[in-house]
Amino acid sequence: MKRKIAAIFAADIAGYSRLVAEDEEETLRRLASYRQVTDDFIAKGGGRIFNTAGDAVLAEFPSAVEAVRCAIDIQESLRTRNMAYPPSRQMAFRIGITIGDVVERDGDLLGDGVNIAARLEGLAEVGGICVSRAVHEQVANKLSVQFADIGAQEVKNIPTPVHAYMVAMRREDGSYATPQVKKPIKVPPPGAPAWMWPAGITLVLLAAIGVGGFLAYTKLETSATKPAAVASSAPASAPLVSASPAPLVAPAPPASTVPSAKPAPTPALAAPASPPAPSIASGDKLATDIIPFVSDRTRNVLATEYAPANDFKAIALNINGFVGSSVAQPSEDAAKTSALEQCQKRADNAGSPRKCELYAVGNTIVYAHGLPPVPPLPWVKRDALVEKPYATKDVPLLREAARARLDSLFVPGRKTRTIALGPGGHYFFNAGIDSLEESARRNLQACGAVAGVPCTIVAVDDVFVVPIPATLRVIGFFKAADSSVITPGERSDVARKLADATVGWNAVAVGTQGRPGLGLKAENEQSAVNAALGDCARRDSDCHVIAIGPFAVGPN
């Protein structure tokens, strides 16, 4: 046996027993697939798996930085995979990481370091990461991640409290979510007699009971003399698919001129009212012309052959556009089974990783996910000022495996072909599609379904159709209204001005006080950057660029 210091990584699946009980074969199949992802990332980060048991994985890393980077990569990759499944069937890991003294015996590791990592994993949120203070001190200034201090935590079979931190996981738009901070324990001051701690707790509880009783009595007295105020609110839902007659492709202005102001709308287009966007919900009547993911030809076939057919019948589909339909079956269950089997067989034969789901039974929608989010029309904006020849190396946010896939399948593909990109690096592409509208629609719907937010068409055939930054590194998509670095009072104004600047290059800079500077409708990237920095410098100090085109950017 030998002792050593190592970064210990512990992971297991939340709710694994329930998943197995509901569908053992499917859960075990997905576990093997997900384990391949975790094992690959661990090996890539220089880690070594030293123990596994069911859904649990224990690994060691020579560096805390690599352990945390690996954990983030795993969680982001598995989050994307989980979006293809309903919430009740998603398979999410919790991960805990610590640095500790361990004993190595026959390749296995033992000791407090292993035990603490396992307890930190239990503190982590579903799909989250929890690290010890020692790990936080090692990585806080080395990785571009944020942490939430959850304080000292009492954990099972560890005699002293463990000071822990939650890693803030990245959202789809590139921002970071604040973890749910667990309440830290209160440690008695050094030297305090042991009896004082429980006595203090007792006194606090008695005081709380007294105050609570007084407040409850006061509330009863007040409600007897004061009429109750009832608040009613109905959250507005954003349209998922534009129903306006806007064109799919916006024409490019002449390359030699850049409009200085947005043309005034005609009276007909200036009307505030617009037709309601189509939507689908479980229980709605089937409308074949808005079935998502599938080709226009499939929609036509379903409209002419499926819709008028008698029961029993069903439709199944998956995100990649594979479909199975069955009519004139002896029972509803037989129709559902036949449709699912047809769809899944076609998907499996084509190598699609997505599972088929029932979309309609009879002429009633049973699909629970609704229409995926897509951006408003036009989906493709042709602007000669920003277009440039397509090169896979320039597609932002993608990993090397994704770039290799685009080089081998997208680049040699037949027209029409497009790429849809999401803020978290999600991407979908197709080739040989009958029309640009269908190609864009199917990619945007598939990408939106996985990302959970609208994606953007970045490439059409052999050109990029959005500004692709070259001076700074793309780190996500930019939304001025949600930007935490812009002073709150100016976010909506920045968002409005960017929305109005529909041609040329746009850039946003910000200074130490959060005052923004804008460079709008510029003829090239550098001009937009210079204008944004100059505008910011007139209002703030130490300005830097945070957005170019639709993208959030950072240093290369």
Side-chain angles (χ1 to χ4, degrees), residues 281-288 291 302-303 305-315 326-327 332 359-366:
S282 183
D284 286 353
K285 184 178 179 180
L286 175 67
T288 56
I291 297 176
L302 291 173
E305 298 181 8
Y306 177 88
N310 295 326
D311 281 338
F312 294 99
K313 59 184 181 180
I315 301 171
S326 181
V327 300
E332 184 177 288
Y359 182 81
V361 176
N363 284 331
T364 301
I365 294 172
V366 296

PDB file of all heavy atoms in Angstrom, residues 281-288 291 302-303 305-315 326-327 332 359-366:
ATOM      1  N   ALA A 281     -50.640  21.139 -28.356  1.00  0.00           N
ATOM      2  CA  ALA A 281     -50.660  20.617 -26.994  1.00  0.00           C
ATOM      3  C   ALA A 281     -51.366  19.280 -27.006  1.00  0.00           C
ATOM      4  O   ALA A 281     -52.205  19.004 -27.876  1.00  0.00           O
ATOM      5  CB  ALA A 281     -51.369  21.598 -26.049  1.00  0.00           C
ATOM      6  N   SER A 282     -51.010  18.456 -26.070  1.00  0.00           N
ATOM      7  CA  SER A 282     -51.651  17.151 -25.965  1.00  0.00           C
ATOM      8  C   SER A 282     -53.158  17.331 -25.819  1.00  0.00           C
ATOM      9  O   SER A 282     -53.630  18.113 -24.999  1.00  0.00           O
ATOM     10  CB  SER A 282     -51.083  16.394 -24.753  1.00  0.00           C
ATOM     11  OG  SER A 282     -51.641  15.112 -24.663  1.00  0.00           O
ATOM     12  N   GLY A 283     -53.902  16.640 -26.670  1.00  0.00           N
ATOM     13  CA  GLY A 283     -55.359  16.761 -26.668  1.00  0.00           C
ATOM     14  C   GLY A 283     -55.893  17.595 -27.810  1.00  0.00           C
ATOM     15  O   GLY A 283     -57.096  17.576 -28.095  1.00  0.00           O
ATOM     16  N   ASP A 284     -55.005  18.347 -28.495  1.00  0.00           N
ATOM     17  CA  ASP A 284     -55.439  19.152 -29.642  1.00  0.00           C
ATOM     18  C   ASP A 284     -55.768  18.251 -30.837  1.00  0.00           C
ATOM     19  O   ASP A 284     -55.275  17.124 -30.954  1.00  0.00           O
ATOM     20  CB  ASP A 284     -54.342  20.133 -30.054  1.00  0.00           C
ATOM     21  CG  ASP A 284     -54.208  21.293 -29.083  1.00  0.00           C
ATOM     22  OD1 ASP A 284     -55.043  21.399 -28.167  1.00  0.00           O
ATOM     23  OD2 ASP A 284     -53.258  22.075 -29.258  1.00  0.00           O
ATOM     24  N   LYS A 285     -56.561  18.791 -31.748  1.00  0.00           N
ATOM     25  CA  LYS A 285     -56.849  18.085 -32.997  1.00  0.00           C
ATOM     26  C   LYS A 285     -55.626  18.133 -33.900  1.00  0.00           C
ATOM     27  O   LYS A 285     -54.946  19.143 -33.999  1.00  0.00           O
ATOM     28  CB  LYS A 285     -58.049  18.724 -33.702  1.00  0.00           C
ATOM     29  CG  LYS A 285     -58.477  17.982 -34.955  1.00  0.00           C
ATOM     30  CD  LYS A 285     -59.712  18.630 -35.593  1.00  0.00           C
ATOM     31  CE  LYS A 285     -60.114  17.885 -36.859  1.00  0.00           C
ATOM     32  NZ  LYS A 285     -61.306  18.492 -37.505  1.00  0.00           N
ATOM     33  N   LEU A 286     -55.334  17.032 -34.553  1.00  0.00           N
ATOM     34  CA  LEU A 286     -54.178  16.923 -35.424  1.00  0.00           C
ATOM     35  C   LEU A 286     -54.276  17.900 -36.601  1.00  0.00           C
ATOM     36  O   LEU A 286     -55.304  17.964 -37.283  1.00  0.00           O
ATOM     37  CB  LEU A 286     -54.064  15.492 -35.961  1.00  0.00           C
ATOM     38  CG  LEU A 286     -52.966  15.240 -37.002  1.00  0.00           C
ATOM     39  CD1 LEU A 286     -51.584  15.406 -36.366  1.00  0.00           C
ATOM     40  CD2 LEU A 286     -53.122  13.858 -37.614  1.00  0.00           C
ATOM     41  N   ALA A 287     -53.202  18.647 -36.824  1.00  0.00           N
ATOM     42  CA  ALA A 287     -53.057  19.499 -38.013  1.00  0.00           C
ATOM     43  C   ALA A 287     -51.752  19.075 -38.673  1.00  0.00           C
ATOM     44  O   ALA A 287     -50.663  19.361 -38.161  1.00  0.00           O
ATOM     45  CB  ALA A 287     -53.025  20.974 -37.626  1.00  0.00           C
ATOM     46  N   THR A 288     -51.849  18.388 -39.806  1.00  0.00           N
ATOM     47  CA  THR A 288     -50.658  17.805 -40.414  1.00  0.00           C
ATOM     48  C   THR A 288     -49.673  18.851 -40.922  1.00  0.00           C
ATOM     49  O   THR A 288     -48.481  18.571 -41.046  1.00  0.00           O
ATOM     50  CB  THR A 288     -51.055  16.879 -41.582  1.00  0.00           C
ATOM     51  OG1 THR A 288     -51.839  17.624 -42.519  1.00  0.00           O
ATOM     52  CG2 THR A 288     -51.855  15.692 -41.077  1.00  0.00           C
ATOM     53  N   ILE A 291     -46.852  19.637 -38.179  1.00  0.00           N
ATOM     54  CA  ILE A 291     -46.118  18.576 -37.497  1.00  0.00           C
ATOM     55  C   ILE A 291     -44.626  18.916 -37.555  1.00  0.00           C
ATOM     56  O   ILE A 291     -44.092  19.161 -38.634  1.00  0.00           O
ATOM     57  CB  ILE A 291     -46.371  17.205 -38.146  1.00  0.00           C
ATOM     58  CG1 ILE A 291     -47.843  16.824 -38.015  1.00  0.00           C
ATOM     59  CG2 ILE A 291     -45.499  16.131 -37.496  1.00  0.00           C
ATOM     60  CD1 ILE A 291     -48.207  15.525 -38.714  1.00  0.00           C
ATOM     61  N   LEU A 302     -49.173  12.366 -44.910  1.00  0.00           N
ATOM     62  CA  LEU A 302     -50.020  12.212 -43.725  1.00  0.00           C
ATOM     63  C   LEU A 302     -51.362  12.925 -43.930  1.00  0.00           C
ATOM     64  O   LEU A 302     -52.400  12.469 -43.444  1.00  0.00           O
ATOM     65  CB  LEU A 302     -49.302  12.769 -42.498  1.00  0.00           C
ATOM     66  CG  LEU A 302     -48.067  11.967 -42.033  1.00  0.00           C
ATOM     67  CD1 LEU A 302     -47.344  12.702 -40.918  1.00  0.00           C
ATOM     68  CD2 LEU A 302     -48.468  10.573 -41.555  1.00  0.00           C
ATOM     69  N   ALA A 303     -51.329  14.052 -44.633  1.00  0.00           N
ATOM     70  CA  ALA A 303     -52.572  14.785 -44.863  1.00  0.00           C
ATOM     71  C   ALA A 303     -53.516  14.026 -45.791  1.00  0.00           C
ATOM     72  O   ALA A 303     -54.740  14.044 -45.605  1.00  0.00           O
ATOM     73  CB  ALA A 303     -52.266  16.169 -45.448  1.00  0.00           C
ATOM     74  N   GLU A 305     -53.253  10.552 -46.683  1.00  0.00           N
ATOM     75  CA  GLU A 305     -53.463   9.135 -46.413  1.00  0.00           C
ATOM     76  C   GLU A 305     -53.821   8.836 -44.956  1.00  0.00           C
ATOM     77  O   GLU A 305     -54.637   7.973 -44.682  1.00  0.00           O
ATOM     78  CB  GLU A 305     -52.211   8.339 -46.809  1.00  0.00           C
ATOM     79  CG  GLU A 305     -51.881   8.424 -48.292  1.00  0.00           C
ATOM     80  CD  GLU A 305     -50.657   7.610 -48.671  1.00  0.00           C
ATOM     81  OE1 GLU A 305     -50.159   6.859 -47.787  1.00  0.00           O
ATOM     82  OE2 GLU A 305     -50.193   7.727 -49.816  1.00  0.00           O
ATOM     83  N   TYR A 306     -53.175   9.556 -44.019  1.00  0.00           N
ATOM     84  CA  TYR A 306     -53.439   9.254 -42.611  1.00  0.00           C
ATOM     85  C   TYR A 306     -54.681   9.974 -42.101  1.00  0.00           C
ATOM     86  O   TYR A 306     -55.571   9.362 -41.493  1.00  0.00           O
ATOM     87  CB  TYR A 306     -52.232   9.645 -41.756  1.00  0.00           C
ATOM     88  CG  TYR A 306     -52.459   9.424 -40.278  1.00  0.00           C
ATOM     89  CD1 TYR A 306     -52.168   8.205 -39.688  1.00  0.00           C
ATOM     90  CD2 TYR A 306     -52.987  10.433 -39.465  1.00  0.00           C
ATOM     91  CE1 TYR A 306     -52.395   7.988 -38.337  1.00  0.00           C
ATOM     92  CE2 TYR A 306     -53.214  10.232 -38.121  1.00  0.00           C
ATOM     93  CZ  TYR A 306     -52.920   9.007 -37.557  1.00  0.00           C
ATOM     94  OH  TYR A 306     -53.151   8.795 -36.221  1.00  0.00           O
ATOM     95  N   ALA A 307     -54.745  11.290 -42.310  1.00  0.00           N
ATOM     96  CA  ALA A 307     -55.821  12.086 -41.705  1.00  0.00           C
ATOM     97  C   ALA A 307     -57.208  11.564 -42.039  1.00  0.00           C
ATOM     98  O   ALA A 307     -58.071  11.478 -41.148  1.00  0.00           O
ATOM     99  CB  ALA A 307     -55.677  13.558 -42.118  1.00  0.00           C
ATOM    100  N   PRO A 308     -57.519  11.190 -43.297  1.00  0.00           N
ATOM    101  CA  PRO A 308     -58.883  10.719 -43.592  1.00  0.00           C
ATOM    102  C   PRO A 308     -59.128   9.252 -43.236  1.00  0.00           C
ATOM    103  O   PRO A 308     -60.267   8.789 -43.312  1.00  0.00           O
ATOM    104  CB  PRO A 308     -58.991  10.922 -45.105  1.00  0.00           C
ATOM    105  CG  PRO A 308     -57.604  10.826 -45.612  1.00  0.00           C
ATOM    106  CD  PRO A 308     -56.731  11.379 -44.535  1.00  0.00           C
ATOM    107  N   ALA A 309     -58.084   8.508 -42.853  1.00  0.00           N
ATOM    108  CA  ALA A 309     -58.255   7.082 -42.552  1.00  0.00           C
ATOM    109  C   ALA A 309     -59.033   6.892 -41.264  1.00  0.00           C
ATOM    110  O   ALA A 309     -59.049   7.750 -40.370  1.00  0.00           O
ATOM    111  CB  ALA A 309     -56.890   6.402 -42.450  1.00  0.00           C
ATOM    112  N   ASN A 310     -59.699   5.740 -41.159  1.00  0.00           N
ATOM    113  CA  ASN A 310     -60.476   5.416 -39.964  1.00  0.00           C
ATOM    114  C   ASN A 310     -59.576   4.884 -38.863  1.00  0.00           C
ATOM    115  O   ASN A 310     -58.468   4.408 -39.100  1.00  0.00           O
ATOM    116  CB  ASN A 310     -61.561   4.385 -40.310  1.00  0.00           C
ATOM    117  CG  ASN A 310     -62.597   4.939 -41.276  1.00  0.00           C
ATOM    118  OD1 ASN A 310     -62.929   6.122 -41.225  1.00  0.00           O
ATOM    119  ND2 ASN A 310     -63.095   4.090 -42.165  1.00  0.00           N
ATOM    120  N   ASP A 311     -60.086   4.954 -37.643  1.00  0.00           N
ATOM    121  CA  ASP A 311     -59.372   4.369 -36.510  1.00  0.00           C
ATOM    122  C   ASP A 311     -59.334   2.855 -36.657  1.00  0.00           C
ATOM    123  O   ASP A 311     -60.163   2.272 -37.392  1.00  0.00           O
ATOM    124  CB  ASP A 311     -60.077   4.747 -35.201  1.00  0.00           C
ATOM    125  CG  ASP A 311     -59.737   6.175 -34.760  1.00  0.00           C
ATOM    126  OD1 ASP A 311     -58.682   6.684 -35.210  1.00  0.00           O
ATOM    127  OD2 ASP A 311     -60.507   6.774 -33.997  1.00  0.00           O
ATOM    128  N   PHE A 312     -58.437   2.149 -36.008  1.00  0.00           N
ATOM    129  CA  PHE A 312     -57.488   2.706 -35.047  1.00  0.00           C
ATOM    130  C   PHE A 312     -56.187   3.050 -35.772  1.00  0.00           C
ATOM    131  O   PHE A 312     -55.697   2.256 -36.567  1.00  0.00           O
ATOM    132  CB  PHE A 312     -57.232   1.701 -33.922  1.00  0.00           C
ATOM    133  CG  PHE A 312     -58.453   1.456 -33.090  1.00  0.00           C
ATOM    134  CD1 PHE A 312     -59.249   0.332 -33.307  1.00  0.00           C
ATOM    135  CD2 PHE A 312     -58.838   2.361 -32.117  1.00  0.00           C
ATOM    136  CE1 PHE A 312     -60.373   0.111 -32.540  1.00  0.00           C
ATOM    137  CE2 PHE A 312     -59.957   2.141 -31.334  1.00  0.00           C
ATOM    138  CZ  PHE A 312     -60.735   1.017 -31.550  1.00  0.00           C
ATOM    139  N   LYS A 313     -55.576   4.209 -35.425  1.00  0.00           N
ATOM    140  CA  LYS A 313     -54.393   4.669 -36.130  1.00  0.00           C
ATOM    141  C   LYS A 313     -53.520   5.511 -35.186  1.00  0.00           C
ATOM    142  O   LYS A 313     -53.993   6.004 -34.156  1.00  0.00           O
ATOM    143  CB  LYS A 313     -54.783   5.476 -37.355  1.00  0.00           C
ATOM    144  CG  LYS A 313     -55.637   6.719 -37.046  1.00  0.00           C
ATOM    145  CD  LYS A 313     -56.074   7.423 -38.333  1.00  0.00           C
ATOM    146  CE  LYS A 313     -56.907   8.663 -38.017  1.00  0.00           C
ATOM    147  NZ  LYS A 313     -57.339   9.363 -39.251  1.00  0.00           N
ATOM    148  N   ALA A 314     -52.233   5.674 -35.568  1.00  0.00           N
ATOM    149  CA  ALA A 314     -51.298   6.430 -34.729  1.00  0.00           C
ATOM    150  C   ALA A 314     -50.109   6.901 -35.565  1.00  0.00           C
ATOM    151  O   ALA A 314     -49.794   6.315 -36.617  1.00  0.00           O
ATOM    152  CB  ALA A 314     -50.809   5.586 -33.560  1.00  0.00           C
ATOM    153  N   ILE A 315     -49.451   7.974 -35.089  1.00  0.00           N
ATOM    154  CA  ILE A 315     -48.224   8.520 -35.694  1.00  0.00           C
ATOM    155  C   ILE A 315     -47.160   8.598 -34.605  1.00  0.00           C
ATOM    156  O   ILE A 315     -47.432   9.033 -33.485  1.00  0.00           O
ATOM    157  CB  ILE A 315     -48.442   9.930 -36.275  1.00  0.00           C
ATOM    158  CG1 ILE A 315     -49.528   9.929 -37.346  1.00  0.00           C
ATOM    159  CG2 ILE A 315     -47.143  10.492 -36.839  1.00  0.00           C
ATOM    160  CD1 ILE A 315     -49.916  11.340 -37.796  1.00  0.00           C
ATOM    161  N   SER A 326     -49.463   4.236 -38.685  1.00  0.00           N
ATOM    162  CA  SER A 326     -50.198   2.976 -38.820  1.00  0.00           C
ATOM    163  C   SER A 326     -51.689   3.280 -38.803  1.00  0.00           C
ATOM    164  O   SER A 326     -52.163   4.074 -37.976  1.00  0.00           O
ATOM    165  CB  SER A 326     -49.835   2.033 -37.658  1.00  0.00           C
ATOM    166  OG  SER A 326     -50.510   0.820 -37.768  1.00  0.00           O
ATOM    167  N   VAL A 327     -52.433   2.677 -39.729  1.00  0.00           N
ATOM    168  CA  VAL A 327     -53.882   2.881 -39.817  1.00  0.00           C
ATOM    169  C   VAL A 327     -54.582   1.528 -39.886  1.00  0.00           C
ATOM    170  O   VAL A 327     -53.965   0.489 -40.123  1.00  0.00           O
ATOM    171  CB  VAL A 327     -54.256   3.730 -41.056  1.00  0.00           C
ATOM    172  CG1 VAL A 327     -53.592   5.104 -40.986  1.00  0.00           C
ATOM    173  CG2 VAL A 327     -53.868   3.025 -42.340  1.00  0.00           C
ATOM    174  N   GLU A 332     -56.378   0.341 -30.450  1.00  0.00           N
ATOM    175  CA  GLU A 332     -55.536   1.520 -30.273  1.00  0.00           C
ATOM    176  C   GLU A 332     -54.121   1.132 -29.883  1.00  0.00           C
ATOM    177  O   GLU A 332     -53.141   1.688 -30.372  1.00  0.00           O
ATOM    178  CB  GLU A 332     -56.149   2.441 -29.211  1.00  0.00           C
ATOM    179  CG  GLU A 332     -55.392   3.748 -29.007  1.00  0.00           C
ATOM    180  CD  GLU A 332     -56.062   4.670 -28.014  1.00  0.00           C
ATOM    181  OE1 GLU A 332     -57.117   5.239 -28.356  1.00  0.00           O
ATOM    182  OE2 GLU A 332     -55.525   4.809 -26.889  1.00  0.00           O
ATOM    183  N   TYR A 359     -46.820  10.815 -31.506  1.00  0.00           N
ATOM    184  CA  TYR A 359     -47.222  12.183 -31.779  1.00  0.00           C
ATOM    185  C   TYR A 359     -48.743  12.330 -31.793  1.00  0.00           C
ATOM    186  O   TYR A 359     -49.284  13.306 -31.265  1.00  0.00           O
ATOM    187  CB  TYR A 359     -46.648  12.655 -33.111  1.00  0.00           C
ATOM    188  CG  TYR A 359     -47.006  14.089 -33.426  1.00  0.00           C
ATOM    189  CD1 TYR A 359     -46.295  15.138 -32.855  1.00  0.00           C
ATOM    190  CD2 TYR A 359     -48.078  14.401 -34.262  1.00  0.00           C
ATOM    191  CE1 TYR A 359     -46.632  16.461 -33.114  1.00  0.00           C
ATOM    192  CE2 TYR A 359     -48.419  15.716 -34.527  1.00  0.00           C
ATOM    193  CZ  TYR A 359     -47.692  16.743 -33.950  1.00  0.00           C
ATOM    194  OH  TYR A 359     -48.040  18.045 -34.190  1.00  0.00           O
ATOM    195  N   ALA A 360     -49.416  11.362 -32.411  1.00  0.00           N
ATOM    196  CA  ALA A 360     -50.882  11.423 -32.481  1.00  0.00           C
ATOM    197  C   ALA A 360     -51.451  10.020 -32.398  1.00  0.00           C
ATOM    198  O   ALA A 360     -50.857   9.051 -32.880  1.00  0.00           O
ATOM    199  CB  ALA A 360     -51.333  12.101 -33.765  1.00  0.00           C
ATOM    200  N   VAL A 361     -52.601   9.923 -31.753  1.00  0.00           N
ATOM    201  CA  VAL A 361     -53.392   8.692 -31.739  1.00  0.00           C
ATOM    202  C   VAL A 361     -54.756   9.067 -32.291  1.00  0.00           C
ATOM    203  O   VAL A 361     -55.432   9.960 -31.772  1.00  0.00           O
ATOM    204  CB  VAL A 361     -53.507   8.108 -30.320  1.00  0.00           C
ATOM    205  CG1 VAL A 361     -54.424   6.892 -30.327  1.00  0.00           C
ATOM    206  CG2 VAL A 361     -52.130   7.737 -29.780  1.00  0.00           C
ATOM    207  N   GLY A 362     -55.147   8.381 -33.371  1.00  0.00           N
ATOM    208  CA  GLY A 362     -56.325   8.836 -34.087  1.00  0.00           C
ATOM    209  C   GLY A 362     -56.022  10.180 -34.710  1.00  0.00           C
ATOM    210  O   GLY A 362     -54.953  10.391 -35.284  1.00  0.00           O
ATOM    211  N   ASN A 363     -56.910  11.125 -34.572  1.00  0.00           N
ATOM    212  CA  ASN A 363     -56.670  12.488 -35.034  1.00  0.00           C
ATOM    213  C   ASN A 363     -56.482  13.444 -33.861  1.00  0.00           C
ATOM    214  O   ASN A 363     -56.792  14.639 -33.949  1.00  0.00           O
ATOM    215  CB  ASN A 363     -57.826  12.964 -35.925  1.00  0.00           C
ATOM    216  CG  ASN A 363     -57.752  12.352 -37.318  1.00  0.00           C
ATOM    217  OD1 ASN A 363     -56.670  12.037 -37.803  1.00  0.00           O
ATOM    218  ND2 ASN A 363     -58.901  12.185 -37.957  1.00  0.00           N
ATOM    219  N   THR A 364     -55.951  12.901 -32.750  1.00  0.00           N
ATOM    220  CA  THR A 364     -55.704  13.702 -31.550  1.00  0.00           C
ATOM    221  C   THR A 364     -54.222  13.676 -31.210  1.00  0.00           C
ATOM    222  O   THR A 364     -53.592  12.614 -31.184  1.00  0.00           O
ATOM    223  CB  THR A 364     -56.503  13.149 -30.356  1.00  0.00           C
ATOM    224  OG1 THR A 364     -57.894  13.176 -30.674  1.00  0.00           O
ATOM    225  CG2 THR A 364     -56.259  13.988 -29.112  1.00  0.00           C
ATOM    226  N   ILE A 365     -53.662  14.840 -30.961  1.00  0.00           N
ATOM    227  CA  ILE A 365     -52.250  14.938 -30.599  1.00  0.00           C
ATOM    228  C   ILE A 365     -52.042  14.422 -29.176  1.00  0.00           C
ATOM    229  O   ILE A 365     -52.791  14.778 -28.259  1.00  0.00           O
ATOM    230  CB  ILE A 365     -51.766  16.395 -30.702  1.00  0.00           C
ATOM    231  CG1 ILE A 365     -51.792  16.862 -32.166  1.00  0.00           C
ATOM    232  CG2 ILE A 365     -50.361  16.557 -30.140  1.00  0.00           C
ATOM    233  CD1 ILE A 365     -51.507  18.343 -32.340  1.00  0.00           C
ATOM    234  N   VAL A 366     -51.015  13.596 -29.001  1.00  0.00           N
ATOM    235  CA  VAL A 366     -50.654  13.104 -27.658  1.00  0.00           C
ATOM    236  C   VAL A 366     -49.229  13.521 -27.298  1.00  0.00           C
ATOM    237  O   VAL A 366     -48.743  13.185 -26.221  1.00  0.00           O
ATOM    238  CB  VAL A 366     -50.795  11.572 -27.576  1.00  0.00           C
ATOM    239  CG1 VAL A 366     -52.243  11.147 -27.773  1.00  0.00           C
ATOM    240  CG2 VAL A 366     -49.875  10.863 -28.581  1.00  0.00           C
TER     241      VAL A 366
END
